[in-house]
Amino acid sequence: MVETEAMAPEGGDPGNLVPDCGGIIKQIALALPAAFLGNEAPDDGFQPLIPIGNLLCSLPADIEVFLLVEQATASRADFWARSLNAQCRIALVSVPEEQGRISSPWIQDAFLVREASGSTTDEILTTQMDAVGRSLADMLSIEAHPAPLFLPGGNQLVGPDFRLIGLSQVKAEKGSSPAQPAFEISQQIDRRPVHVFGYNPKDLSKRNDDQAKVRTLPEAKNLLSAGHQFGFHVDQFVSVTGLERNGRPLLLVGDPCDPDGLKRPLVETARQSLDASVRALIRQGFEVMRNPVPYAVTPDSGKRLPRLYNNLMLENEVRPGREKPFAWLPQFGDIEPLAAFDRLNSEIWEGLGFEVIPVFGWSHLASRNGALRCSTKVLRRSPLRRLGGTETI
């Protein structure tokens, strides 16, 4: 359990969001923008269907996939999906033209999924403009309700007994009370206590990590009034493991580095910001491990951006016939000279007791600031029974 000042919801029981860890994944959803299904190959080599296809081919046969596409591209999407010969069951969900367009593959951000009992999905929380979430709800014959707060799934991680929300979603406006209404509203979405991902500028210059273990309560409220968030979303640089170490929930947090060993200002700023963010997480009761995150020039845009190894999908239950739980990890070394980082990150998860399923091709989406978790939405997991991993849960 997280043992801090994190705030639990008041009033009635809002139910639970589907977590980022735990039981075996039974259903997931993905979305394909029309541009991904164009007839002509792009001149810059951008082929986003490659990593998505690799992901679908890596999924076991008992996972049901709902692939959302626009009506105009449904036949092309169906042909492409059939050509994969994937083991998993793929059901095409056509988004009616009158409901809107699929503007992004990052379905993680489009809506939230709330379960009633841990075994059934009974509610999608979405916005009026979200064609993807509403079309999926119609397909599954479940309720779609307006979310009380726009909370992109990418800026929230859901653990067994906590939520970690990016500060930018709930930060107090200048001059307002730390008891920010957005933070209070976020607690109505799920019964788990809320923690905040961000950093205090005072921590940027600290060199002694022992200072992070001196509790300054309440840390979450301090961040709400004076903190900053690094990155667009928390899932770019933080992974939930579903494990505990030293009685604390264990998180994996990216450690920015230069692949060629230089100390570029961009990378040094990222490293300092995430170091400071780790200090704030430790104060909130988390145990933290670090994993290398290289900043490399993207093949299509020419910009130096992080490779998001923390943007993964995992289970904590061991599947029948296997010895370890699965972790689907994005890989970049098939296209870029990053095979060493693929290996280092895989070894970290293997050391935690997971069987790593490498999913290649994510360099095609590196310039879009997302990876594997961004492109998926877990809709349903089985109840957690047989645990895996080298730490306790």
Side-chain angles (χ1 to χ4, degrees):
M1 294 289 291
V2 178
E3 41 164 286
T4 66
E5 77 291 349
M7 301 184 186
E10 297 180 358
D13 182 357
N16 273 341
L17 297 174
V18 175
D20 288 301
C21 55
I24 289 173
I25 295 170
K26 306 303 289 185
Q27 292 179 332
I28 66 169
L30 293 88
L32 296 181
F36 284 16
L37 293 158
N39 292 318
E40 297 182 4
D43 294 334
D44 61 3
F46 175 60
Q47 300 182 60
L49 290 180
I50 289 179
I52 295 172
N54 290 342
L55 173 60
L56 291 173
C57 290
S58 74
L59 299 176
D62 62 347
I63 292 183
E64 185 176 17
V65 178
F66 296 96
L67 188 63
L68 287 103
V69 298
E70 295 180 15
Q71 277 184 336
T73 60
S75 60
R76 275 176 279 165
D78 183 62
F79 177 82
W80 171 78
R82 291 178 185 276
S83 72
L84 297 173
N85 292 318
Q87 297 181 69
C88 63
R89 296 167 290 163
I90 302 176
L92 225 61
V93 181
S94 182
V95 176
E97 186 175 346
E98 62 271 17
Q99 286 201 21
R101 304 289 301 275
I102 299 176
S103 59
S104 168
W106 306 145
I107 194 172
Q108 181 66 232
D109 295 330
F111 56 89
L112 303 176
V113 182
R114 194 154 63 183
E115 58 188 3
S117 64
S119 60
T120 58
T121 298
D122 81 341
E123 184 180 23
I124 283 179
L125 300 179
T126 185
T127 65
Q128 189 65 37
M129 303 301 293
D130 173 32
V132 170
R134 294 183 178 279
S135 297
L136 184 61
D138 290 342
M139 170 71 176
L140 297 174
S141 298
I142 61 175
E143 297 291 329
H145 295 142
L149 173 71
F150 176 64
L151 190 59
N155 215 13
Q156 173 179 236
L157 295 172
V158 182
D161 59 356
F162 68 87
R163 285 190 294 151
L164 183 63
I165 298 178
L167 178 60
S168 63
Q169 300 302 140
V170 292
K171 182 175 171 59
E173 297 294 333
K174 186 176 181 181
S176 65
S177 165
Q180 178 69 2
F183 184 74
E184 296 172 358
I185 295 171
S186 73
Q187 298 171 58
Q188 301 171 14
I189 295 174
D190 181 282
R191 66 167 65 96
R192 300 173 179 90
V194 174
H195 296 260
V196 176
F197 173 69
Y199 67 88
N200 192 313
K202 294 179 180 179
D203 282 330
L204 289 172
S205 60
K206 291 181 179 178
R207 293 291 182 267
N208 185 357
D209 283 347
D210 288 340
Q211 296 180 58
K213 298 179 182 179
V214 179
R215 297 276 175 86
T216 56
L217 301 180
E219 180 69 18
K221 286 188 176 180
N222 287 341
L223 291 172
L224 286 171
S225 61
H228 302 278
Q229 179 179 342
F230 179 74
F232 293 106
H233 286 165
V234 61
D235 71 352
Q236 291 182 293
F237 299 103
V238 183
S239 306
V240 168
T241 67
L243 308 174
E244 286 190 355
R245 175 175 288 179
N246 299 323
R248 295 173 159 210
L250 178 63
L251 301 177
L252 204 62
V253 180
D255 190 5
C257 58
D258 247 316
D260 52 16
L262 300 178
K263 291 189 175 183
R264 293 181 172 88
L266 171 70
V267 181
E268 287 301 293
T269 297
R271 182 185 58 77
Q272 292 171 7
S273 299
L274 284 171
D275 286 352
S277 301
V278 166
R279 295 182 178 99
L281 290 170
I282 292 173
R283 292 193 194 103
Q284 293 179 76
F286 292 99
E287 192 78 10
V288 175
M289 286 181 61
R290 307 299 296 272
N291 64 290
V293 172
Y295 272 62
V297 175
T298 57
D300 55 347
S301 73
K303 297 180 180 179
R304 187 171 295 277
L305 294 170
R307 298 303 180 267
L308 305 181
Y309 287 101
N310 295 84
N311 201 260
L312 82 166
M313 183 173 71
L314 60 80
E315 301 169 340
N316 292 107
E317 183 171 345
V318 180
R319 288 176 170 268
R322 315 299 297 199
E323 296 181 355
K324 299 177 181 179
F326 285 172
W328 287 265
L329 189 65
Q331 306 281 277
F332 304 89
D334 54 320
I335 297 173
E336 305 175 81
L338 297 172
F341 291 96
D342 287 355
R343 184 172 60 255
L344 287 170
N345 279 278
S346 295
E347 288 173 352
I348 289 172
W349 285 101
E350 289 168 356
L352 290 173
F354 290 88
E355 179 179 342
V356 173
I357 310 297
V359 184
F360 290 95
W362 292 96
S363 298
H364 287 288
L365 288 167
S367 64
R368 274 68 178 179
N369 295 303
L372 197 153
R373 181 181 185 268
C374 290
S375 66
T376 60
K377 194 74 173 186
V378 176
L379 305 177
R380 185 165 67 90
R381 291 179 182 267
S382 65
L384 185 61
R385 292 184 293 265
R386 185 186 171 199
L387 304 182
T390 59
E391 313 292 332
T392 59
I393 189 167

